[in-house]
Amino acid sequence: MLFSKLFGKTLKEKPTDTEVSSHALMERAGLISQVVSGVYSYLPMAWNSLLRIESIIREEMNTIGSQELHLPVLQPAELWDSTGRKDLFGQNLFTLEDRRNRTLVLAPTHEEVLTSLVAANVQSYKDLPFILYQIQTKFRDEERPRGGLLRCREFHMKDAYSFASNSDQLDSAYEDMIQAYNNIFDRCGLSTVMVEADSGAIGGKDSHEFIALSNIGEDSIAICTSCKYGANVERAEFVKPVNSGNSSNATPEEVHTPGITDINALSSFLNVSKSDLLKSMFYLADGKLIVVVLEGDYEVNEIKLRNTLNIKDLAIASDSLIRSAGFIPGFASPVGDHKDVTVVVDDSVIENKNYVVGANKVDYHLKNVQYGRDFKKTTVSIEIGSDLALVKDGDLCLHCNSKLKIEKGIEIGHVFKLGTAYSEKLNAYFVGADGVRQPIIMGCYGIGVGRILSASIEQNHDPNGIIFPKLIAPYDVSLLGLNVEQEDVKNEADSLYELLTSSGANVLYDDRIESPGVKFNDADLIGLPIRLVVSARNIDQGVIEVKKRSDSDAVKISKDEVVKYVTDLL
RNA sequence: CGGGGUGUGGCGCAGCGGGAGCGCGCCUGUUUUGGGAACAGGAGGUCGUCGGUUCAAUCCCGACCACCCCGACCA
């Protein structure tokens, strides 16, 4: 490719509306251009990269025996009603009407269409198992798109679905997929970790996310510093120490605590550790007031809370609501008789004794309070020992007791064992060897193609620009002709371009009449893996200068050997 | 959905009740040539939209829209 013909201009300055570096660099290097919030045009260089990423994905998907197909974006809304996901996606679902006033949706994902397609094509266990996948544009009306290609409203995603007649087949597809994902991210130059994930409202049992570590990421994960455990903080579990303190059965006693309304103040006022205090958090859950009780050094994990109680709408309760239920904010606790309130207790509270809790009376707390005797969980059918606490940095790993570390990252892949939730709703059944009709067991597996590009740039850049991993770079080589107005430079650069191109390299040849500084800076900004310099000075020495974008120094290679040298690096 | 910010040429920005400007980029010419060259000349803008105030609005007032950030939310 001749730089003089390349569509897409580089910019000297960072565009105003870009905050994260990958986004700014992609705009500056002329890779993408925003059309509206969360929607981008991919210019030729970005498109080259995305196609290379897609072909890596295809290779790895095909290697594990998946078949590619292509499903529509435009889908009838009723299909989404049949699984209840129209409501679940809610505002995030783009909907439109056709000329006959039929409501259609722009698909945010494809479980529904594919499962109904499969339902019509699978009758017997002999038809199973198999994996289907596609790379498709998806639409989600995100409330807050951000970070360029990191969170878009229109984006490319690879989605794969496995269909099995028994759980061994599902497990095996899941394992194959994990292996394929690791290969894909590896080849794309990404450093990722696989962690346990929350499987959400219609999820199955197992679910893992692939996270590209990055401090601009929107996901937080807890990783064990010693063993292999890692989980999204949404579901991360950790050791909750049992207090060794006194285990006497002292009776509750009021303590005067004037103006002490929060855990930190109470802890220092009474000179007891926060884990000896109980925190009562009030929520409005699907219209009902609930109080979550946990030790003072923990925060409520709202995802765990939602999952445990199967809550759809969850919000912090207002002070007025708390008061009207007979509690005093700041001095509230579940101790006492509270008919209309559901009490939910974190498992850390079950074993320990002699907590300090609010007295439901202004300026007073109670000490020597214990679960079971002085208050208990009410009504709801949760098992004792529900874990409702949010992991924090330094908590201990349940598996090896080492410290957990909290990291941020970008979710670039997600795998789920869906089970039979979709096949039951969409009537995708098969007849087993025993003659019994049963639902197909499913898994689903997504990868954000644009997110791979963004995350990869996020992990691979320096102050001068992008440092493209070699397998996903838009071109392999930047060939700079310095002062190509000089005939010998132009001839030399032209012929090197021909030689490299014919030996299989994808070369971006900077043939522009521009000063050397401009060319060096653009080459750094675009960040192709290898840079070659042809100049009068180098011609005199009979060499071509070769520099890897990731290295700081260049090497001089003789003209005759440079093509081999470069193609060996590819 | 709450809070904050910004809308002026392709990009980055300044400005101001009465001539729409600067830097970068772009075009032409001359000189230059290894890390964003110099000089000269030139093209390019309904100042986000609508309404109001005023003799006069890019500027003041109001509404709306768009975009960005923080939070909430998010298989």
Side-chain angles (χ1 to χ4, degrees), chain A residues 196-201 209 219-220 232-236 283 292 299-312 314-315 386-391:
Chain A
E196 294 177 8
D198 178 57
S199 53
E209 285 171 333
D219 283 84
S220 292
N232 193 301
V233 294
E234 290 175 348
R235 79 165 271 158
Y283 285 89
V292 181
E299 298 295 331
V300 177
N301 181 325
E302 295 184 5
I303 305 281
K304 288 180 181 174
L305 180 60
R306 276 170 189 276
N307 290 345
T308 304
L309 297 186
N310 203 11
I311 298 165
K312 288 197 182 71
L314 184 68
S386 287
D387 169 26
L388 301 168
L390 188 67
V391 68

mmCIF file of all heavy atoms in Angstrom, chain A residues 196-201 209 219-220 232-236 283 292 299-312 314-315 386-391, chain B residues 72-75:
data_model
loop_
_atom_site.group_PDB
_atom_site.id
_atom_site.type_symbol
_atom_site.label_atom_id
_atom_site.label_comp_id
_atom_site.label_asym_id
_atom_site.label_seq_id
_atom_site.Cartn_x
_atom_site.Cartn_y
_atom_site.Cartn_z
ATOM 1 N N GLU A 196 -13.725 -16.715 36.916
ATOM 2 C CA GLU A 196 -15.114 -17.119 37.094
ATOM 3 C C GLU A 196 -15.995 -15.879 36.996
ATOM 4 O O GLU A 196 -15.628 -14.816 37.493
ATOM 5 C CB GLU A 196 -15.314 -17.763 38.470
ATOM 6 C CG GLU A 196 -14.579 -19.070 38.616
ATOM 7 C CD GLU A 196 -14.728 -19.650 40.025
ATOM 8 O OE1 GLU A 196 -15.522 -19.103 40.828
ATOM 9 O OE2 GLU A 196 -14.040 -20.640 40.317
ATOM 10 N N ALA A 197 -17.144 -16.057 36.356
ATOM 11 C CA ALA A 197 -18.003 -14.894 36.132
ATOM 12 C C ALA A 197 -19.397 -15.147 36.645
ATOM 13 O O ALA A 197 -19.820 -16.291 36.792
ATOM 14 C CB ALA A 197 -18.055 -14.581 34.646
ATOM 15 N N ASP A 198 -20.081 -14.068 36.890
ATOM 16 C CA ASP A 198 -21.496 -14.163 37.223
ATOM 17 C C ASP A 198 -22.222 -14.529 35.942
ATOM 18 O O ASP A 198 -21.961 -13.991 34.883
ATOM 19 C CB ASP A 198 -21.993 -12.807 37.737
ATOM 20 C CG ASP A 198 -23.475 -12.840 38.041
ATOM 21 O OD1 ASP A 198 -23.877 -13.693 38.852
ATOM 22 O OD2 ASP A 198 -24.215 -12.041 37.460
ATOM 23 N N SER A 199 -23.165 -15.456 36.033
ATOM 24 C CA SER A 199 -23.807 -15.877 34.796
ATOM 25 C C SER A 199 -25.101 -15.135 34.554
ATOM 26 O O SER A 199 -25.788 -15.376 33.570
ATOM 27 C CB SER A 199 -24.037 -17.386 34.799
ATOM 28 O OG SER A 199 -24.722 -17.752 35.967
ATOM 29 N N GLY A 200 -25.447 -14.229 35.439
ATOM 30 C CA GLY A 200 -26.576 -13.346 35.178
ATOM 31 C C GLY A 200 -27.925 -14.015 35.323
ATOM 32 O O GLY A 200 -28.040 -15.148 35.781
ATOM 33 N N ALA A 201 -28.950 -13.293 34.905
ATOM 34 C CA ALA A 201 -30.318 -13.719 35.155
ATOM 35 C C ALA A 201 -30.693 -15.041 34.482
ATOM 36 O O ALA A 201 -31.264 -15.906 35.121
ATOM 37 C CB ALA A 201 -31.274 -12.619 34.723
ATOM 38 N N GLU A 209 -15.103 -15.474 32.274
ATOM 39 C CA GLU A 209 -14.793 -14.322 31.442
ATOM 40 C C GLU A 209 -13.311 -14.311 31.141
ATOM 41 O O GLU A 209 -12.494 -14.721 31.977
ATOM 42 C CB GLU A 209 -15.100 -13.017 32.197
ATOM 43 C CG GLU A 209 -16.553 -12.674 32.311
ATOM 44 C CD GLU A 209 -16.772 -11.491 33.248
ATOM 45 O OE1 GLU A 209 -15.953 -11.275 34.163
ATOM 46 O OE2 GLU A 209 -17.764 -10.790 33.076
ATOM 47 N N ASP A 219 -14.356 -3.781 34.236
ATOM 48 C CA ASP A 219 -14.603 -4.911 35.118
ATOM 49 C C ASP A 219 -13.529 -4.995 36.182
ATOM 50 O O ASP A 219 -12.365 -4.700 35.923
ATOM 51 C CB ASP A 219 -14.592 -6.209 34.310
ATOM 52 C CG ASP A 219 -15.876 -6.386 33.536
ATOM 53 O OD1 ASP A 219 -15.975 -5.823 32.427
ATOM 54 O OD2 ASP A 219 -16.781 -7.049 34.040
ATOM 55 N N SER A 220 -13.940 -5.410 37.365
ATOM 56 C CA SER A 220 -12.968 -5.644 38.420
ATOM 57 C C SER A 220 -12.948 -7.123 38.721
ATOM 58 O O SER A 220 -13.989 -7.761 38.804
ATOM 59 C CB SER A 220 -13.354 -4.877 39.689
ATOM 60 O OG SER A 220 -13.228 -3.501 39.470
ATOM 61 N N ASN A 232 -14.542 -12.605 38.761
ATOM 62 C CA ASN A 232 -15.076 -11.253 38.724
ATOM 63 C C ASN A 232 -15.512 -10.902 40.151
ATOM 64 O O ASN A 232 -16.056 -11.760 40.854
ATOM 65 C CB ASN A 232 -16.271 -11.213 37.767
ATOM 66 C CG ASN A 232 -16.676 -9.796 37.437
ATOM 67 O OD1 ASN A 232 -17.016 -9.015 38.317
ATOM 68 N ND2 ASN A 232 -16.640 -9.462 36.161
ATOM 69 N N VAL A 233 -15.290 -9.670 40.581
ATOM 70 C CA VAL A 233 -15.691 -9.308 41.948
ATOM 71 C C VAL A 233 -17.191 -9.523 42.159
ATOM 72 O O VAL A 233 -17.640 -9.695 43.291
ATOM 73 C CB VAL A 233 -15.331 -7.848 42.318
ATOM 74 C CG1 VAL A 233 -13.839 -7.658 42.360
ATOM 75 C CG2 VAL A 233 -15.988 -6.862 41.375
ATOM 76 N N GLU A 234 -17.939 -9.526 41.057
ATOM 77 C CA GLU A 234 -19.372 -9.778 41.178
ATOM 78 C C GLU A 234 -19.648 -11.122 41.848
ATOM 79 O O GLU A 234 -20.692 -11.309 42.455
ATOM 80 C CB GLU A 234 -20.028 -9.793 39.785
ATOM 81 C CG GLU A 234 -20.072 -8.426 39.127
ATOM 82 C CD GLU A 234 -20.618 -8.485 37.714
ATOM 83 O OE1 GLU A 234 -20.751 -9.603 37.166
ATOM 84 O OE2 GLU A 234 -20.906 -7.414 37.155
ATOM 85 N N ARG A 235 -18.750 -12.070 41.656
ATOM 86 C CA ARG A 235 -19.015 -13.370 42.251
ATOM 87 C C ARG A 235 -17.874 -13.899 43.114
ATOM 88 O O ARG A 235 -17.980 -14.976 43.711
ATOM 89 C CB ARG A 235 -19.389 -14.399 41.167
ATOM 90 C CG ARG A 235 -18.234 -14.978 40.395
ATOM 91 C CD ARG A 235 -18.667 -16.218 39.637
ATOM 92 N NE ARG A 235 -18.542 -17.445 40.407
ATOM 93 C CZ ARG A 235 -19.207 -18.556 40.150
ATOM 94 N NH1 ARG A 235 -20.077 -18.589 39.169
ATOM 95 N NH2 ARG A 235 -19.018 -19.642 40.862
ATOM 96 N N ALA A 236 -16.797 -13.173 43.231
ATOM 97 C CA ALA A 236 -15.625 -13.680 43.948
ATOM 98 C C ALA A 236 -15.960 -14.031 45.399
ATOM 99 O O ALA A 236 -16.629 -13.280 46.100
ATOM 100 C CB ALA A 236 -14.507 -12.647 43.905
ATOM 101 N N TYR A 283 -32.413 -1.878 51.558
ATOM 102 C CA TYR A 283 -32.652 -1.825 50.121
ATOM 103 C C TYR A 283 -34.141 -1.926 49.831
ATOM 104 O O TYR A 283 -34.898 -2.521 50.600
ATOM 105 C CB TYR A 283 -31.953 -2.998 49.415
ATOM 106 C CG TYR A 283 -30.467 -2.831 49.293
ATOM 107 C CD1 TYR A 283 -29.617 -3.285 50.300
ATOM 108 C CD2 TYR A 283 -29.909 -2.229 48.170
ATOM 109 C CE1 TYR A 283 -28.237 -3.131 50.192
ATOM 110 C CE2 TYR A 283 -28.536 -2.076 48.057
ATOM 111 C CZ TYR A 283 -27.708 -2.523 49.060
ATOM 112 O OH TYR A 283 -26.359 -2.374 48.945
ATOM 113 N N VAL A 292 -30.040 -5.910 54.823
ATOM 114 C CA VAL A 292 -28.927 -6.842 54.680
ATOM 115 C C VAL A 292 -27.988 -6.608 55.858
ATOM 116 O O VAL A 292 -27.585 -5.481 56.113
ATOM 117 C CB VAL A 292 -28.174 -6.594 53.369
ATOM 118 C CG1 VAL A 292 -27.022 -7.578 53.220
ATOM 119 C CG2 VAL A 292 -29.133 -6.684 52.179
ATOM 120 N N GLU A 299 -18.623 -4.802 52.500
ATOM 121 C CA GLU A 299 -19.627 -4.047 51.753
ATOM 122 C C GLU A 299 -20.582 -5.051 51.124
ATOM 123 O O GLU A 299 -20.213 -6.207 50.871
ATOM 124 C CB GLU A 299 -18.966 -3.235 50.627
ATOM 125 C CG GLU A 299 -17.959 -2.188 51.096
ATOM 126 C CD GLU A 299 -18.598 -1.077 51.913
ATOM 127 O OE1 GLU A 299 -19.790 -0.785 51.674
ATOM 128 O OE2 GLU A 299 -17.909 -0.527 52.799
ATOM 129 N N VAL A 300 -21.790 -4.606 50.848
ATOM 130 C CA VAL A 300 -22.764 -5.488 50.203
ATOM 131 C C VAL A 300 -22.384 -5.699 48.738
ATOM 132 O O VAL A 300 -22.055 -4.754 48.042
ATOM 133 C CB VAL A 300 -24.179 -4.884 50.259
ATOM 134 C CG1 VAL A 300 -25.171 -5.782 49.521
ATOM 135 C CG2 VAL A 300 -24.612 -4.679 51.700
ATOM 136 N N ASN A 301 -22.403 -6.934 48.311
ATOM 137 C CA ASN A 301 -22.239 -7.254 46.901
ATOM 138 C C ASN A 301 -23.644 -7.362 46.312
ATOM 139 O O ASN A 301 -24.358 -8.342 46.514
ATOM 140 C CB ASN A 301 -21.482 -8.575 46.743
ATOM 141 C CG ASN A 301 -21.264 -8.935 45.284
ATOM 142 O OD1 ASN A 301 -22.103 -8.668 44.432
ATOM 143 N ND2 ASN A 301 -20.126 -9.557 45.010
ATOM 144 N N GLU A 302 -24.026 -6.343 45.566
ATOM 145 C CA GLU A 302 -25.420 -6.282 45.119
ATOM 146 C C GLU A 302 -25.762 -7.368 44.107
ATOM 147 O O GLU A 302 -26.910 -7.792 44.015
ATOM 148 C CB GLU A 302 -25.726 -4.876 44.577
ATOM 149 C CG GLU A 302 -25.639 -3.840 45.693
ATOM 150 C CD GLU A 302 -26.032 -2.438 45.261
ATOM 151 O OE1 GLU A 302 -26.475 -2.258 44.116
ATOM 152 O OE2 GLU A 302 -25.891 -1.513 46.094
ATOM 153 N N ILE A 303 -24.763 -7.825 43.370
ATOM 154 C CA ILE A 303 -25.013 -8.920 42.428
ATOM 155 C C ILE A 303 -25.344 -10.198 43.194
ATOM 156 O O ILE A 303 -26.298 -10.912 42.882
ATOM 157 C CB ILE A 303 -23.779 -9.182 41.536
ATOM 158 C CG1 ILE A 303 -23.356 -7.907 40.812
ATOM 159 C CG2 ILE A 303 -24.048 -10.331 40.590
ATOM 160 C CD1 ILE A 303 -24.157 -7.556 39.609
ATOM 161 N N LYS A 304 -24.554 -10.476 44.216
ATOM 162 C CA LYS A 304 -24.822 -11.670 45.024
ATOM 163 C C LYS A 304 -26.202 -11.555 45.676
ATOM 164 O O LYS A 304 -26.949 -12.529 45.764
ATOM 165 C CB LYS A 304 -23.751 -11.837 46.105
ATOM 166 C CG LYS A 304 -22.388 -12.276 45.575
ATOM 167 C CD LYS A 304 -21.391 -12.411 46.732
ATOM 168 C CE LYS A 304 -19.998 -12.825 46.230
ATOM 169 N NZ LYS A 304 -19.014 -12.820 47.331
ATOM 170 N N LEU A 305 -26.513 -10.347 46.116
ATOM 171 C CA LEU A 305 -27.806 -10.127 46.754
ATOM 172 C C LEU A 305 -28.951 -10.387 45.771
ATOM 173 O O LEU A 305 -29.917 -11.091 46.076
ATOM 174 C CB LEU A 305 -27.867 -8.691 47.275
ATOM 175 C CG LEU A 305 -29.155 -8.248 47.980
ATOM 176 C CD1 LEU A 305 -29.429 -9.107 49.201
ATOM 177 C CD2 LEU A 305 -29.066 -6.781 48.390
ATOM 178 N N ARG A 306 -28.820 -9.841 44.581
ATOM 179 C CA ARG A 306 -29.832 -10.060 43.545
ATOM 180 C C ARG A 306 -29.995 -11.544 43.239
ATOM 181 O O ARG A 306 -31.108 -12.058 43.140
ATOM 182 C CB ARG A 306 -29.387 -9.421 42.221
ATOM 183 C CG ARG A 306 -29.686 -7.967 42.083
ATOM 184 C CD ARG A 306 -28.946 -7.466 40.839
ATOM 185 N NE ARG A 306 -29.010 -6.019 40.741
ATOM 186 C CZ ARG A 306 -30.033 -5.360 40.204
ATOM 187 N NH1 ARG A 306 -31.053 -6.012 39.700
ATOM 188 N NH2 ARG A 306 -30.037 -4.049 40.165
ATOM 189 N N ASN A 307 -28.853 -12.213 43.055
ATOM 190 C CA ASN A 307 -28.921 -13.621 42.699
ATOM 191 C C ASN A 307 -29.532 -14.459 43.812
ATOM 192 O O ASN A 307 -30.317 -15.367 43.568
ATOM 193 C CB ASN A 307 -27.522 -14.157 42.361
ATOM 194 C CG ASN A 307 -27.004 -13.578 41.046
ATOM 195 O OD1 ASN A 307 -27.764 -13.015 40.260
ATOM 196 N ND2 ASN A 307 -25.709 -13.715 40.814
ATOM 197 N N THR A 308 -29.154 -14.165 45.045
ATOM 198 C CA THR A 308 -29.642 -14.943 46.173
ATOM 199 C C THR A 308 -31.147 -14.830 46.329
ATOM 200 O O THR A 308 -31.836 -15.819 46.548
ATOM 201 C CB THR A 308 -28.965 -14.463 47.481
ATOM 202 O OG1 THR A 308 -27.562 -14.542 47.308
ATOM 203 C CG2 THR A 308 -29.385 -15.318 48.650
ATOM 204 N N LEU A 309 -31.657 -13.603 46.201
ATOM 205 C CA LEU A 309 -33.086 -13.394 46.420
ATOM 206 C C LEU A 309 -33.877 -13.320 45.126
ATOM 207 O O LEU A 309 -35.078 -13.063 45.152
ATOM 208 C CB LEU A 309 -33.309 -12.104 47.221
ATOM 209 C CG LEU A 309 -32.718 -12.072 48.629
ATOM 210 C CD1 LEU A 309 -33.134 -10.804 49.337
ATOM 211 C CD2 LEU A 309 -33.181 -13.283 49.426
ATOM 212 N N ASN A 310 -33.156 -13.481 43.989
ATOM 213 C CA ASN A 310 -33.825 -13.392 42.697
ATOM 214 C C ASN A 310 -34.546 -12.057 42.513
ATOM 215 O O ASN A 310 -35.729 -12.003 42.184
ATOM 216 C CB ASN A 310 -34.800 -14.568 42.559
ATOM 217 C CG ASN A 310 -35.100 -14.855 41.109
ATOM 218 O OD1 ASN A 310 -34.430 -14.315 40.222
ATOM 219 N ND2 ASN A 310 -36.094 -15.670 40.857
ATOM 220 N N ILE A 311 -33.788 -10.994 42.743
ATOM 221 C CA ILE A 311 -34.344 -9.638 42.693
ATOM 222 C C ILE A 311 -34.148 -9.060 41.293
ATOM 223 O O ILE A 311 -33.089 -9.205 40.705
ATOM 224 C CB ILE A 311 -33.613 -8.727 43.710
ATOM 225 C CG1 ILE A 311 -33.836 -9.250 45.128
ATOM 226 C CG2 ILE A 311 -34.079 -7.275 43.579
ATOM 227 C CD1 ILE A 311 -32.886 -8.658 46.148
ATOM 228 N N LYS A 312 -35.161 -8.412 40.791
ATOM 229 C CA LYS A 312 -35.012 -7.735 39.499
ATOM 230 C C LYS A 312 -34.595 -6.284 39.693
ATOM 231 O O LYS A 312 -33.639 -5.808 39.127
ATOM 232 C CB LYS A 312 -36.328 -7.793 38.714
ATOM 233 C CG LYS A 312 -36.658 -9.170 38.176
ATOM 234 C CD LYS A 312 -37.718 -9.078 37.076
ATOM 235 C CE LYS A 312 -38.095 -10.466 36.565
ATOM 236 N NZ LYS A 312 -38.889 -11.207 37.589
ATOM 237 N N LEU A 314 -33.353 -3.385 42.181
ATOM 238 C CA LEU A 314 -32.706 -3.214 43.477
ATOM 239 C C LEU A 314 -32.197 -1.785 43.593
ATOM 240 O O LEU A 314 -31.520 -1.283 42.701
ATOM 241 C CB LEU A 314 -31.541 -4.195 43.609
ATOM 242 C CG LEU A 314 -30.828 -4.192 44.964
ATOM 243 C CD1 LEU A 314 -31.730 -4.742 46.042
ATOM 244 C CD2 LEU A 314 -29.540 -4.988 44.902
ATOM 245 N N ALA A 315 -32.548 -1.126 44.697
ATOM 246 C CA ALA A 315 -32.055 0.228 44.923
ATOM 247 C C ALA A 315 -31.874 0.436 46.413
ATOM 248 O O ALA A 315 -32.548 -0.199 47.228
ATOM 249 C CB ALA A 315 -33.040 1.250 44.374
ATOM 250 N N SER A 386 -25.644 -17.580 53.290
ATOM 251 C CA SER A 386 -25.547 -16.882 52.026
ATOM 252 C C SER A 386 -24.401 -15.896 52.072
ATOM 253 O O SER A 386 -24.221 -15.180 53.048
ATOM 254 C CB SER A 386 -26.837 -16.121 51.752
ATOM 255 O OG SER A 386 -27.838 -17.019 51.413
ATOM 256 N N ASP A 387 -23.656 -15.875 50.993
ATOM 257 C CA ASP A 387 -22.529 -14.963 50.914
ATOM 258 C C ASP A 387 -22.989 -13.715 50.185
ATOM 259 O O ASP A 387 -23.396 -13.777 49.035
ATOM 260 C CB ASP A 387 -21.388 -15.662 50.165
ATOM 261 C CG ASP A 387 -20.267 -14.712 49.807
ATOM 262 O OD1 ASP A 387 -20.098 -13.691 50.494
ATOM 263 O OD2 ASP A 387 -19.551 -15.002 48.822
ATOM 264 N N LEU A 388 -22.959 -12.601 50.869
ATOM 265 C CA LEU A 388 -23.483 -11.357 50.297
ATOM 266 C C LEU A 388 -22.451 -10.247 50.294
ATOM 267 O O LEU A 388 -22.770 -9.090 50.053
ATOM 268 C CB LEU A 388 -24.693 -10.885 51.115
ATOM 269 C CG LEU A 388 -25.851 -11.880 51.196
ATOM 270 C CD1 LEU A 388 -26.856 -11.440 52.243
ATOM 271 C CD2 LEU A 388 -26.524 -12.019 49.839
ATOM 272 N N ALA A 389 -21.191 -10.596 50.575
ATOM 273 C CA ALA A 389 -20.178 -9.559 50.758
ATOM 274 C C ALA A 389 -19.306 -9.404 49.519
ATOM 275 O O ALA A 389 -19.077 -10.345 48.765
ATOM 276 C CB ALA A 389 -19.312 -9.886 51.969
ATOM 277 N N LEU A 390 -18.844 -8.187 49.346
ATOM 278 C CA LEU A 390 -17.994 -7.830 48.217
ATOM 279 C C LEU A 390 -16.536 -8.039 48.596
ATOM 280 O O LEU A 390 -16.084 -7.586 49.642
ATOM 281 C CB LEU A 390 -18.235 -6.352 47.886
ATOM 282 C CG LEU A 390 -17.601 -5.787 46.638
ATOM 283 C CD1 LEU A 390 -18.224 -6.430 45.396
ATOM 284 C CD2 LEU A 390 -17.797 -4.275 46.598
ATOM 285 N N VAL A 391 -15.828 -8.751 47.731
ATOM 286 C CA VAL A 391 -14.409 -8.999 47.980
ATOM 287 C C VAL A 391 -13.649 -7.678 47.910
ATOM 288 O O VAL A 391 -14.051 -6.755 47.195
ATOM 289 C CB VAL A 391 -13.860 -9.992 46.925
ATOM 290 C CG1 VAL A 391 -13.834 -9.365 45.546
ATOM 291 C CG2 VAL A 391 -12.478 -10.493 47.321
ATOM 292 P P A B 72 -21.606 3.499 40.466
ATOM 293 O OP1 A B 72 -21.453 2.733 41.719
ATOM 294 O OP2 A B 72 -20.912 3.050 39.245
ATOM 295 O "O5'" A B 72 -23.162 3.637 40.137
ATOM 296 C "C5'" A B 72 -24.112 3.824 41.175
ATOM 297 C "C4'" A B 72 -25.499 3.885 40.595
ATOM 298 O "O4'" A B 72 -25.553 4.979 39.646
ATOM 299 C "C3'" A B 72 -25.925 2.662 39.781
ATOM 300 O "O3'" A B 72 -26.453 1.640 40.600
ATOM 301 C "C2'" A B 72 -26.966 3.244 38.839
ATOM 302 O "O2'" A B 72 -28.206 3.427 39.489
ATOM 303 C "C1'" A B 72 -26.363 4.609 38.544
ATOM 304 N N9 A B 72 -25.499 4.542 37.348
ATOM 305 C C8 A B 72 -24.134 4.464 37.301
ATOM 306 N N7 A B 72 -23.645 4.398 36.092
ATOM 307 C C5 A B 72 -24.779 4.429 35.282
ATOM 308 C C6 A B 72 -24.938 4.393 33.896
ATOM 309 N N6 A B 72 -23.923 4.310 33.037
ATOM 310 N N1 A B 72 -26.197 4.441 33.415
ATOM 311 C C2 A B 72 -27.216 4.518 34.282
ATOM 312 N N3 A B 72 -27.188 4.562 35.611
ATOM 313 C C4 A B 72 -25.919 4.521 36.050
ATOM 314 P P C B 73 -26.170 0.114 40.231
ATOM 315 O OP1 C B 73 -26.969 -0.673 41.187
ATOM 316 O OP2 C B 73 -24.727 -0.122 40.099
ATOM 317 O "O5'" C B 73 -26.827 -0.013 38.782
ATOM 318 C "C5'" C B 73 -28.240 -0.029 38.618
ATOM 319 C "C4'" C B 73 -28.582 -0.027 37.160
ATOM 320 O "O4'" C B 73 -27.923 1.094 36.518
ATOM 321 C "C3'" C B 73 -28.079 -1.231 36.367
ATOM 322 O "O3'" C B 73 -28.944 -2.342 36.483
ATOM 323 C "C2'" C B 73 -28.035 -0.675 34.949
ATOM 324 O "O2'" C B 73 -29.323 -0.608 34.396
ATOM 325 C "C1'" C B 73 -27.545 0.742 35.197
ATOM 326 N N1 C B 73 -26.061 0.832 35.089
ATOM 327 C C2 C B 73 -25.518 0.961 33.811
ATOM 328 O O2 C B 73 -26.273 1.001 32.835
ATOM 329 N N3 C B 73 -24.169 1.036 33.685
ATOM 330 C C4 C B 73 -23.381 0.984 34.754
ATOM 331 N N4 C B 73 -22.077 1.068 34.583
ATOM 332 C C5 C B 73 -23.927 0.846 36.069
ATOM 333 C C6 C B 73 -25.258 0.767 36.187
ATOM 334 P P C B 74 -28.327 -3.815 36.528
ATOM 335 O OP1 C B 74 -29.461 -4.727 36.723
ATOM 336 O OP2 C B 74 -27.185 -3.844 37.458
ATOM 337 O "O5'" C B 74 -27.760 -3.997 35.053
ATOM 338 C "C5'" C B 74 -28.659 -4.047 33.946
ATOM 339 C "C4'" C B 74 -27.859 -4.023 32.675
ATOM 340 O "O4'" C B 74 -26.990 -2.877 32.682
ATOM 341 C "C3'" C B 74 -26.907 -5.204 32.478
ATOM 342 O "O3'" C B 74 -27.584 -6.288 31.884
ATOM 343 C "C2'" C B 74 -25.867 -4.620 31.536
ATOM 344 O "O2'" C B 74 -26.301 -4.650 30.194
ATOM 345 C "C1'" C B 74 -25.797 -3.162 31.991
ATOM 346 N N1 C B 74 -24.654 -2.910 32.888
ATOM 347 C C2 C B 74 -23.398 -2.644 32.317
ATOM 348 O O2 C B 74 -23.287 -2.642 31.085
ATOM 349 N N3 C B 74 -22.344 -2.406 33.132
ATOM 350 C C4 C B 74 -22.497 -2.428 34.451
ATOM 351 N N4 C B 74 -21.435 -2.192 35.202
ATOM 352 C C5 C B 74 -23.755 -2.705 35.046
ATOM 353 C C6 C B 74 -24.803 -2.940 34.241
ATOM 354 P P A B 75 -27.901 -7.642 32.721
ATOM 355 O OP1 A B 75 -29.338 -7.910 32.601
ATOM 356 O OP2 A B 75 -27.304 -7.494 34.044
ATOM 357 O "O5'" A B 75 -27.117 -8.787 31.938
ATOM 358 C "C5'" A B 75 -27.780 -9.445 30.929
ATOM 359 C "C4'" A B 75 -27.437 -10.906 30.979
ATOM 360 O "O4'" A B 75 -27.557 -11.430 29.645
ATOM 361 C "C3'" A B 75 -26.002 -11.193 31.427
ATOM 362 O "O3'" A B 75 -25.960 -12.376 32.204
ATOM 363 C "C2'" A B 75 -25.291 -11.399 30.110
ATOM 364 O "O2'" A B 75 -24.166 -12.254 30.236
ATOM 365 C "C1'" A B 75 -26.371 -12.055 29.271
ATOM 366 N N9 A B 75 -26.152 -11.888 27.851
ATOM 367 C C8 A B 75 -26.927 -11.279 26.923
ATOM 368 N N7 A B 75 -26.446 -11.323 25.706
ATOM 369 C C5 A B 75 -25.270 -11.997 25.850
ATOM 370 C C6 A B 75 -24.276 -12.356 24.919
ATOM 371 N N6 A B 75 -24.334 -12.066 23.641
ATOM 372 N N1 A B 75 -23.219 -13.048 25.376
ATOM 373 C C2 A B 75 -23.178 -13.346 26.683
ATOM 374 N N3 A B 75 -24.048 -13.046 27.654
ATOM 375 C C4 A B 75 -25.079 -12.365 27.154
#
